[in-house]
Amino acid sequence: MKATVIVTLKPTVLDPQGMTIHRSLASLGLTDITDVRQGKIFQIQLKTGNREHVERLAKEVLTNPVIEEYRIVWEQ
Amino acid sequence: MKATVIVTLKPTVLDPQGMTIHRSLASLGLTDITDVRQGKIFQIQLKTGNREHVERLAKEVLTNPVIEEYRIVWEQ
């Protein structure tokens, strides 16, 4: 079984990496893009279907709850 | 219009960050997880629906074609 954990900054938190990418786009002529925000993605492989382990991994290891939020996408 | 660009290491490329996370899991009792691979996600906001701009951003700015691959998910 596979799961994907997507960790993104909370909408209210400033994203300096995304802002830097966005600023560089004008010089490339990519003027249609108005915002870029960066996050992390984790592809998890599970032996059995123990979803609780993925929930705990996402909550306790992969996410900083002060500034980040996560969602889990299940496959198979 | 929104787009999400997902950048991951090619399957043949070693992922030291993912391996470090995976190694730390035994001590937390998360023994059901057999593999963790880390990638990056970019949430893009577009003024109009110019998909070519997002394709170019993903290919020329966000991805290192030697070790990474990307896919684009379109919303709306």
Side-chain angles (χ1 to χ4, degrees), chain A residues 5 8 10 16 23 29 34-35 37-38 42-45 49 52 60 64 69-70 72-75:
Chain A
V5 179
T8 50
K10 289 181 181 174
R23 266 201 304 271
T34 56
D35 192 35
R37 281 181 79 81
Q38 182 166 359
F42 299 91
Q43 290 163 322
I44 318 285
Q45 192 84 48
E52 196 219 326
E60 296 174 23
N64 174 355
E69 58 194 11
Y70 70 89
I72 300 172
V73 181
W74 302 97
E75 284 167 54

Side-chain angles (χ1 to χ4, degrees), chain B residues 17-76:
Chain B
Q17 281 184 296
M19 285 165 71
T20 303
I21 294 164
H22 184 220
R23 265 201 304 272
S24 73
L25 298 184
S27 61
L28 291 166
L30 302 177
T31 49
D32 202 37
I33 294 162
T34 56
D35 192 35
V36 179
R37 282 181 79 80
Q38 183 166 359
K40 290 174 282 185
I41 191 165
F42 299 91
Q43 290 162 322
I44 318 285
Q45 192 84 48
L46 282 161
K47 215 184 309 180
T48 62
N50 197 330
R51 293 191 175 205
E52 197 220 326
H53 278 196
V54 177
E55 292 275 0
R56 277 190 56 205
L57 171 67
K59 202 170 179 175
E60 297 174 23
V61 182
L62 303 179
T63 307
N64 174 355
V66 179
I67 57 167
E68 293 172 329
E69 58 194 12
Y70 69 90
R71 62 190 175 88
I72 301 172
V73 181
W74 302 97
E75 283 167 57
Q76 266 185 356

